[in-house]
């Protein structure tokens, strides 16, 4: 028996030695340890603790997950201390923990992440939403919740959807708050919106009611009424309560709270008191979207029992529950792949001289040997949790980030839509859109109606003019000329004029008051530089500039302009003289070139017709002198269809028909122009427009202090030496009267509205040519000024109701001292208006000549084959040319007769040759 027991003991020891020498190599562990570090007594911590405990129970009761291995989650309370949290995380590293469940506090997650990275233990966070927690910086951090980057994208798209541009951000002054607002600023900028004012509040331990009041009072001094509140559940409600006391929860205000407010609403086990709800009326907030499922509804049903009715369930509790399941599924996949859970001492402590670990026993800290593989299993895990599908993308974020958009109304709240990173704003749940192609077009963005603060459904404007007690500083030019537009009443600070009346009329239409003060700019001796006035906006000397400011590209780069209140463009004004009808007025209808072309073509017609008709028409034959007279008489009499000679040839009739058609047009144009010259008084100027000025070197006048001088120099390339700055209407008139030969200018270039006033006073100058630029006058404001849009709308209203025209007539009504304007026109009909007709005629003439020449050559070859085929050189070529010219000069009938006689003579000569006796031929018998 003793031998038997000895053998059994030996076998058992061998089995134990063979299987137990490395117990973590081939057997599944009995337990798997996970550490959880967070604050128990915080609202999120209380929910997370219950959810984690319930998740552990559900995992261990489900044999299909860990198959006999027990999941143990050890939770420690940090007591709201980041230092305690770090120490507890190090303590877990001595207990062979395969993962850590992190806190929702960003600073603590940042402290724990380097520990997790160094010891290769994945850190799973169910509540850290900080947008700056990058997987590149923290490779072992896995976030089981949505990043604030997506939440701020949703806020930015809401701001853009409602048409607002400027927002105010109030945030908790810690890393989480600052990083969230930085992300919001970036997302707003992508949509051409911005944060115009942001202010941080200290943590709750250092925050007083007076500090909140001071911050909110500063907010009221800003123009924007769109307030984004990025707080925590402790401070956020206090801010809203104080805002209600300051009457900032009424009409005109918009409050957008991040998901802390939905956390407060969901975490309350009972409806919040009405006094508390009154502080939140009309506020918009976000809540991380979770899939509606029967499993989630069942969990909500048993939550009251689990929590004892002390706290409500929120989305962070759901994510905490799913985080435990994520770790369990990853452990299952790791063990099923044959992975082992083994730890080794942290080797870097051994490299420190005289290190014994101390009382903290740091030398007991261990590294998870297969931590990297376990991390890969976590990131590859896919399952359906309480929150919906749990799956990670390449950026280690949960797929399909989305939020519910909630509007606090009455005693509760209602969902007005959703935001998803897939399709933006929608009234349909995101999971219904994932099967469709993504569509983020403006037309596809929808939300239900909102009840805004003040219990109104009318969308707030989003801003008001700042009532901080400062008047709007408006710079106006102190002009010395054209004072009808802007003028300073001498001895006073009163500013009047067309532009001033338009601006004040526009302000009167605004739904709010705008205290303002006009500040003249200039010394009163010469017109100030308008470019300098606009530049003073960027130097914050003025808040706006009002006057006849042309809206040009260089100015729009540094200021925002309103809708144009007047159209204007550059014109050329020059002296003119009246043309009287003298004895040579009949020559004016055509320019000299036109007269020359008509004469040349008439003579050309006579030559062509003579050429075509000379051989067959007796009227074009005779002595040379007679033929010369015939050509000239036919040429010029054809202008009046009075030629006596008839054309016989087809080609002659063809070109004569074309010429008579052209003559018809020329005669009609001449008659009309001559009638106008004799009956209508005409004006004449040597300058016909900007084009004629560019072709000369004459000096050109332009207003000083205006952009026109640089435009003429830089755009039209007119040398500065030719540009003469002029300051007043009198200087304009004097320079134009003197002219370029007496020290004056050939013309003045200025804007149309100025010149209309100038010409109503000085009648001996006129506008020549057309406007060669198109622009408008507007009022300039600081870049991104909120007044620009409203003032532009007011200007459009003035234009539509006729008030703008009445103001214009009041100031810019033309004086009756001058007769009605008559634009200077050209007095001649130029060749360029008829060149197409003459080109057609010339081509017809040439074609007819070519056809005629080919016919003559063919006939000459037929009638004189010997001459044409002669191969004798020298004198025979001149004889051949003389024969050809004689042939052309001889009448066609005579040519035929001579050729017939010649042919008969040749045939007789041939017959005589045949009749001559031949030589005697001998024959033999």
């Amino acid at each position: 028996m003793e031998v038997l027991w000895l053998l059994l003991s030996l076998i058992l020891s061998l089995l134990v030695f063979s299987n137990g020498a490395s117990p973590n190599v081939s057997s599944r562990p009995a337990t798997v340890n996970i550490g959880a570090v967070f604050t128990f007594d915080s609202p999120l911590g209380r929910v997370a603790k219950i959810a984690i405990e319930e998740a552990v129970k559900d995992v261990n009761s489900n044999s299909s997950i860990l198959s006999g291995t027990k999941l143990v989650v050890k939770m420690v309370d940090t007591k709201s201390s980041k230092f305690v949290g770090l120490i507890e995380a190090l303590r877990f590293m001595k207990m062979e923990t395969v993962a850590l469940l992190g806190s929702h506090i960003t600073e603590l997650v940042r402290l724990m992440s380097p520990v997790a990275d160094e010891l290769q233990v994945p850190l799973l966070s169910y509540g850290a939403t900080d947008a700056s927690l990058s997987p590149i910086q923290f490779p072992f951090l896995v976030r089981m919740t949505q990043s604030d980057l997506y939440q701020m994208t949703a806020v930015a798209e809401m701001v853009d959807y409602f048409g607002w541009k400027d927002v105010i951000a109030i945030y908790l002054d810690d890393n989480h708050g600052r990083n969230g607002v930085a992300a919001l600023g970036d997302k707003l900028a992508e949509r051409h919106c911005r944060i115009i004012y942001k202010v941080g509040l200290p943590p709750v331990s250092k925050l007083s009611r007076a500090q909140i009041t001071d911050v909110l009072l500063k907010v009221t001094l800003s123009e924007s009424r769109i307030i984004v509140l990025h707080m925590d559940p402790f401070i956020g409600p206090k801010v809203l309560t104080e805002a209600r006391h300051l009457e900032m929860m009424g009409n005109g205000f918009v409050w957008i709270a991040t998901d802390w407010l939905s956390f407060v609403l969901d975490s309350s086990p009972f409806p919040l008191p009405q006094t508390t709800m009154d502080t939140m009326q009309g506020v918009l907030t976000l809540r991380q979207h979770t899939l509606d499922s029967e499993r989630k509804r069942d969990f909500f049903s048993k939550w009251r029992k689990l929590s004892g009715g002390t706290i409500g369930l929120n989305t962070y509790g759901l994510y905490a529950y799913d985080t435990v399941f994520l770790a369990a599924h990853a452990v299952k996949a790791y063990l099923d792949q044959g992975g082992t859970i083994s730890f080794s001492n942290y080797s870097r402590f051994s490299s420190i001289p005289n290190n014994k670990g101390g009382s903290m026993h740091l030398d007991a800290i261990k590294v998870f040997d297969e931590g990297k593989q376990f991390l890969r299993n976590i990131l590859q895990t896919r399952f359906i949790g309480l929150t919906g599908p749990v799956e990670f993308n390449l950026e280690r974020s949960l797929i399909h980030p989305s939020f519910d958009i909630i509007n606090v109304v009455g005693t509760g709240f209602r969902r007005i839509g959703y935001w998803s990173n897939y399709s933006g704003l929608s009234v349909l749940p995101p999971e219904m859109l994932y099967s469709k192609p993504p569509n983020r077009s403006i037309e596809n963005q929808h939300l239900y109606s909102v009840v805004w603060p003040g219990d109104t459904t009318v969308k707030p404007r989003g801003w008001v003019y700042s009532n901080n007690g400062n008047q709007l500083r408006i710079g106006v030019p102190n002009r010395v000329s054209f004072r009808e537009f802007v003028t300073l009443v001498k001895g006073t600070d009163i500013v009047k004029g067309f532009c001033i009346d338009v601006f004040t009329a526009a302000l009167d239409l605004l739904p709010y008051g705008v205290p303002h003060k006009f500040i003249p700019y200039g010394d009163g001796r010469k017109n100030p530089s308008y470019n300098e006035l606009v530049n003073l906006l960027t130097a914050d000397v003025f808040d706006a500039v009002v006057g006849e400011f042309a809206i040009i590209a260089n100015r729009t780069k540094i200021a925002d302009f309103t809708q144009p209140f007047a159209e204007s463009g550059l014109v050329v004004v020059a002296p003119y003289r009246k043309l009287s009808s003298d004895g040579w007025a009949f020559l004016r209808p055509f320019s000299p070139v036109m007269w020359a072309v008509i004469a040349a073509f008439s003579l050309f017609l006579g030559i062509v017709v003579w050429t075509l008709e000379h051989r067959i028409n007796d009227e074009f034959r005779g002595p040379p002198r007679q033929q010369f007279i015939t050509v000239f008489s036919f040429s010029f009499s054809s202008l009046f269809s009075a030629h006596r000679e008839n054309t016989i040839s087809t080609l002659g009739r063809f070109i004569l028909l074309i010429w008579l058609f052209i003559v018809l047009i020329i005669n009609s144009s001449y008659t009309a122009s001559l009638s106008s010259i004799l009956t209508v008084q005409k004006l004449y100027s040597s300058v016909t427009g900007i084009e004629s000025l560019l072709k000369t070197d004459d000096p050109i006048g332009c207003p000083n202090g205006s952009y026109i001088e640089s435009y003429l120099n830089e755009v039209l390339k007119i040398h500065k030496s030719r540009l003469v700055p002029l300051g007043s209407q009198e200087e304009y008139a004097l320079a134009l009267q003197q002219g370029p030969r007496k020290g004056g200018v050939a013309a003045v270039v200025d804007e149309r509205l100025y010149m209309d006033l100038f010409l109503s006073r000085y009648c001996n100058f006129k506008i020549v040519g057309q406007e060669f630029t198109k622009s408008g006058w507007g009022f300039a404001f600081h870049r991104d000024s909120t007044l620009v849009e409203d003032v532009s709308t007011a200007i459009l209203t003035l234009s539509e109701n006729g008030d703008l025209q009445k103001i214009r007539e009041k100031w810019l009504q033309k004086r009756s001292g001058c007769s009605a304007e008559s634009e200077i026109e050209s007095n001649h009909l130029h060749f360029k208006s008829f060149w197409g007709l003459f080109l057609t005629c010339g081509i017809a003439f040439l074609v007819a000549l070519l056809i005629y020449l080919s016919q003559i050559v063919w006939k000459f070859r037929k009638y004189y084959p010997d001459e044409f085929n002669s191969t004798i050189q020298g004198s025979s070529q001149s004889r051949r040319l003389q024969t050809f010219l004689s042939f052309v000069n001889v009448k066609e009938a005579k040519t035929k007769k001579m050729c017939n006689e010649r042919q008969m003579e040749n045939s007789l000569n041939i017959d005589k040759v045949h009749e001559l006796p031949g030589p005697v031929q001998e024959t033999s018998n």
Side-chain angles (χ1 to χ4, degrees):
M1 182 63 70
E2 292 179 357
V3 174
L4 180 61
W5 279 111
L6 181 62
L7 290 175
L8 289 174
S9 300
L10 180 61
I11 293 172
L12 289 173
S13 63
L14 290 174
L15 290 173
V16 170
F17 179 78
S18 60
N19 295 329
S22 180
N24 291 331
V25 173
S26 60
S27 63
R28 296 176 69 92
T31 61
V32 174
N33 295 324
I34 294 177
V37 182
F38 58 93
T39 301
F40 289 176
D41 61 352
S42 67
L44 195 152
R46 292 200 300 271
V47 174
K49 186 174 184 298
I50 299 172
I52 291 173
E53 291 173 347
E54 186 64 18
V56 172
K57 291 180 183 179
D58 293 343
V59 167
N60 291 327
S61 64
N62 190 341
S63 59
S64 64
I65 298 179
L66 292 181
S67 303
T69 298
K70 183 179 180 181
L71 181 68
V72 177
V73 178
K74 299 179 181 180
M75 295 180 284
V76 294
D77 187 3
T78 65
K79 305 295 184 182
S80 300
S81 171
K82 297 185 285 292
F83 179 74
V84 172
L86 178 61
I87 297 300
E88 294 297 340
L90 290 172
R91 193 187 306 277
F92 276 126
M93 296 300 99
K94 299 185 292 184
M95 301 171 61
E96 298 188 349
T97 302
V98 299
L100 289 175
L101 300 188
S103 170
H104 67 283
I105 302 175
T106 299
E107 288 82 354
L108 180 55
V109 173
R110 287 182 180 275
L111 290 174
M112 294 171 59
S113 291
V115 176
D117 298 343
E118 194 71 21
L119 303 179
Q120 299 186 12
V121 176
L123 174 59
L124 310 180
S125 176
Y126 54 83
T129 61
D130 194 320
S132 66
L133 294 176
S134 167
I136 298 177
Q137 184 180 3
F138 308 110
F140 273 80
L141 172 63
V142 178
R143 184 154 48 187
M144 264 293 291
T145 186
Q146 302 294 353
S147 168
D148 277 343
L149 184 66
Y150 299 114
Q151 181 172 204
M152 296 308 174
T153 304
V155 173
E157 291 197 15
M158 289 167 59
V159 171
D160 186 45
Y161 171 79
F162 288 111
W164 302 314
K165 293 299 180 183
D166 299 335
V167 304
I168 297 171
I170 304 176
Y171 60 94
L172 188 63
D173 196 7
D174 58 7
N175 286 335
H176 177 247
R178 288 189 293 270
N179 294 333
V181 170
L184 175 62
D186 294 339
K187 295 303 177 181
L188 286 171
E190 292 176 3
R191 291 152 182 83
H192 305 287
C193 305
R194 61 172 183 163
I195 299 176
I196 63 169
Y197 180 66
K198 57 184 177 182
V199 58
L201 290 173
V204 65
S205 59
K206 303 177 182 179
L207 184 64
S208 65
R209 179 179 177 181
Q211 288 176 300
I212 298 176
T213 302
D214 183 59
V215 166
L216 293 179
L217 288 176
K218 292 179 181 178
V219 168
T220 59
L221 299 179
S222 178
E223 293 181 347
S224 177
R225 287 295 180 261
I226 312 301
I227 304 171
V228 177
L229 198 57
H230 187 46
M231 287 289 157
D232 65 11
F234 292 104
I235 301 179
K238 296 181 180 180
V239 175
L240 292 177
T241 300
E242 194 60 30
R244 186 167 184 265
H245 291 158
L246 296 176
E247 298 182 352
M248 296 176 65
M249 300 300 295
N251 287 337
F253 283 89
V254 175
W255 290 83
I256 302 177
T258 50
D259 62 350
W260 65 265
L261 181 55
S262 64
F263 176 87
V264 171
L265 296 172
D266 292 336
S267 299
S268 176
F270 306 103
L272 291 171
Q274 187 60 46
T275 55
T276 302
M277 294 301 298
D278 288 343
T279 64
M280 306 176 181
Q281 293 300 302
V283 177
L284 296 178
T285 185
L286 298 172
R287 177 173 58 195
Q288 297 189 53
H289 177 72
T290 56
L291 180 67
D292 186 21
S293 63
E294 184 177 354
R295 183 184 175 194
K296 187 177 80 170
R297 290 192 293 269
D298 292 342
F299 191 77
F300 267 92
S301 298
K302 69 177 181 179
W303 179 259
R304 181 174 293 274
K305 179 180 178 181
L306 294 174
S307 64
T310 59
I311 193 169
L313 178 60
N314 52 57
T315 55
Y316 287 99
L318 299 176
Y319 278 115
Y321 182 93
D322 283 350
T323 301
V324 175
F325 269 82
L326 172 68
H329 282 289
V331 169
K332 170 180 170 56
Y334 176 73
L335 296 178
D336 290 346
Q337 295 169 1
T340 61
I341 298 178
S342 60
F343 295 84
S344 57
N345 292 329
Y346 184 55
S347 60
R348 296 194 180 185
F349 277 123
S350 61
S351 63
I352 302 176
N354 302 320
N355 176 55
K356 300 287 186 182
S359 60
M360 295 183 64
H361 301 288
L362 296 178
D363 54 344
I365 292 178
K366 297 182 179 181
V367 178
F368 187 10
D369 295 332
E370 302 298 330
K372 292 183 178 179
Q373 179 58 43
F374 185 55
L375 175 64
R376 286 192 289 269
N377 285 112
I378 290 175
L379 297 175
Q380 294 171 0
T381 298
R382 298 181 181 180
F383 68 97
I384 304 297
L386 292 181
T387 58
V390 175
E391 182 181 346
F392 296 94
N393 57 26
L394 296 178
E395 298 176 354
R396 297 191 180 183
S397 297
L398 289 173
I399 62 171
H400 303 322
S402 54
F403 290 84
D404 300 340
I405 302 175
I406 295 172
N407 182 202
V408 180
V409 181
T411 58
F413 55 86
R414 67 188 186 97
R415 184 167 51 211
I416 63 169
Y418 306 87
W419 176 90
S420 71
N421 196 45
Y422 187 76
S423 294
L425 301 174
S426 173
V427 295
L428 298 176
E431 49 270 13
M432 295 182 62
L433 302 175
Y434 295 145
S435 60
K436 302 177 182 179
N439 186 351
R440 302 193 70 125
S441 63
I442 297 177
E443 296 77 10
N444 199 53
Q445 306 299 295
H446 300 289
L447 291 175
Y448 290 121
S449 61
V450 181
V451 178
W452 303 101
D455 195 24
T456 177
T457 57
V458 178
K459 185 194 75 173
R461 176 196 303 273
W463 71 275
V464 296
Y465 181 71
S466 176
N467 57 350
N468 55 13
N470 296 327
Q471 291 182 318
L472 193 71
R473 300 165 299 171
I474 303 174
V476 295
N478 187 8
R479 294 191 60 92
V480 297
S481 64
F482 299 108
R483 299 169 65 88
E484 292 86 351
F485 295 101
V486 177
T487 181
L488 176 65
V489 180
K490 292 183 179 181
T492 68
D493 294 333
I494 300 174
V495 184
K496 300 190 302 181
F498 167 67
C499 300
I500 303 301
D501 282 3
V502 173
F503 182 75
T504 54
L507 293 187
D508 291 341
L509 293 177
L510 300 183
Y512 47 87
V514 181
H516 60 278
K517 181 174 76 171
F518 293 111
I519 305 174
Y521 177 78
D523 56 13
R525 293 188 295 271
K526 65 177 182 178
N527 293 330
S529 171
Y530 279 40
N531 286 334
E532 290 180 5
L533 256 172
V534 176
N535 288 331
L536 290 176
L537 290 173
T538 61
D540 200 30
V541 175
F542 299 124
D543 300 312
V545 289
V546 171
E548 61 280 28
F549 288 89
I551 305 174
I552 57 177
N554 289 337
R555 293 174 181 173
T556 58
K557 295 177 181 178
I558 59 177
D560 281 349
F561 282 83
T562 63
Q563 173 79 16
F565 61 88
E567 294 183 358
S568 187
L570 296 185
V571 295
V572 177
V573 171
Y576 72 95
R577 61 185 177 88
K578 298 178 181 179
L579 293 177
S580 59
S581 300
D582 54 16
W584 299 98
F586 67 91
L587 294 177
R588 288 183 190 165
F590 292 142
S591 65
V593 174
M594 185 64 179
W595 282 116
V597 170
I598 293 174
F601 266 81
S602 299
L603 186 59
F604 188 25
L605 171 73
I607 295 173
V608 172
V609 172
W610 178 86
T611 302
L612 298 177
E613 299 288 327
H614 176 66
R615 300 186 69 249
I616 60 176
N617 193 339
D618 291 337
E619 294 182 354
F620 290 88
R621 299 187 63 81
R625 180 172 177 274
Q626 180 181 347
Q627 294 185 46
F628 184 77
I629 295 174
T630 300
V631 169
F632 270 88
S633 63
F634 185 87
S635 296
F636 295 103
S637 61
S638 62
L639 289 172
F640 316 104
S641 302
H643 53 279
R644 296 183 298 107
E645 296 80 8
N646 295 319
T647 54
I648 298 176
S649 65
T650 302
L651 291 176
R653 292 177 176 177
F654 172 70
I655 64 170
L656 184 60
L657 180 63
I658 294 177
W659 176 248
L660 291 177
F661 173 72
I662 295 175
V663 166
L664 174 64
I665 297 175
I666 293 174
N667 289 340
S668 301
S669 302
Y670 177 85
T671 303
S673 180
L674 183 60
S675 300
S676 176
I677 290 173
L678 297 177
T679 58
V680 180
Q681 188 179 59
K682 286 292 183 178
L683 308 178
Y684 171 77
S685 174
S686 59
V687 178
T688 58
I690 189 64
E691 296 82 3
S692 64
L693 288 176
L694 296 175
K695 297 176 182 179
T696 67
D697 294 326
D698 293 336
I700 303 171
C702 59
N704 58 14
S706 174
Y707 74 97
I708 298 175
E709 182 176 358
S710 61
Y711 175 83
L712 295 176
N713 174 244
E714 297 172 5
V715 178
L716 299 185
K717 306 302 180 183
I718 299 176
H719 199 273
K720 282 189 175 182
S721 60
R722 296 181 57 195
L723 302 177
V724 180
L726 303 172
S728 65
Q729 299 183 53
E730 291 75 13
E731 292 183 16
Y732 281 12
L734 180 60
L736 288 171
Q737 288 171 354
Q738 290 177 342
R741 303 294 180 265
K742 298 181 181 180
V745 297
V748 171
V749 176
D750 205 342
E751 297 189 66
R752 181 66 184 246
L753 291 178
Y754 290 139
M755 292 296 94
D756 285 344
L757 281 178
F758 173 73
L759 296 177
S760 67
R761 179 177 177 183
Y762 296 94
C763 305
N764 52 336
F765 309 110
K766 292 295 179 183
I767 294 175
V768 295
Q770 302 295 324
E771 290 185 17
F772 55 94
T773 66
K774 291 291 184 181
S775 64
W777 289 352
F779 306 128
F781 289 82
H782 279 298
R783 293 301 301 267
D784 300 320
S785 172
T786 50
L787 280 173
V788 174
E789 183 177 351
D790 282 2
V791 174
S792 295
T793 303
I795 290 173
L796 290 175
T797 303
L798 291 174
S799 177
E800 292 173 358
N801 62 23
D803 289 344
L804 186 60
Q805 182 61 28
K806 293 177 182 177
I807 298 174
R808 179 166 181 160
E809 292 174 355
K810 171 186 174 182
W811 288 99
L812 306 182
Q813 185 68 40
K814 296 179 182 179
R815 300 169 185 172
S816 58
C818 296
S819 59
E821 284 190 6
S822 176
E823 295 290 340
I824 295 179
E825 302 175 3
S826 173
N827 297 302
H828 303 298
L829 296 175
H830 294 273
F831 172 69
K832 64 181 181 181
S833 302
F834 300 93
W835 69 267
L837 291 173
F838 286 109
L839 177 63
T840 304
C841 183
I843 292 174
F845 288 0
L846 292 176
V847 170
L849 286 176
L850 289 176
I851 295 174
Y852 176 75
L853 181 60
S854 62
Q855 291 176 346
I856 289 297
V857 171
W858 181 81
K859 291 179 180 180
F860 179 70
R861 184 176 182 180
K862 176 180 177 183
Y863 296 148
Y864 294 91
D866 295 338
E867 292 288 341
F868 191 87
N869 297 324
S870 175
T871 58
I872 302 175
Q873 302 297 323
S875 61
S876 63
Q877 293 184 358
S878 61
R879 184 171 59 85
R880 187 188 311 165
L881 180 59
Q882 292 176 0
T883 305
F884 178 75
L885 293 177
S886 299
F887 174 78
V888 172
N889 189 48
V890 176
K891 192 174 180 180
E892 180 73 17
K894 186 176 181 181
T895 301
K896 291 182 179 181
K897 181 179 179 182
M898 290 174 60
C899 290
N900 291 335
E901 292 177 353
R902 186 176 179 182
Q903 290 177 356
M904 291 178 63
E905 182 180 352
N906 289 340
S907 63
L908 291 174
N909 291 335
I910 292 172
D911 292 340
K912 289 180 179 179
V913 171
H914 288 176
E915 292 177 357
L916 290 176
V920 178
Q921 299 180 352
E922 295 182 358
T923 60
S924 60
N925 294 324

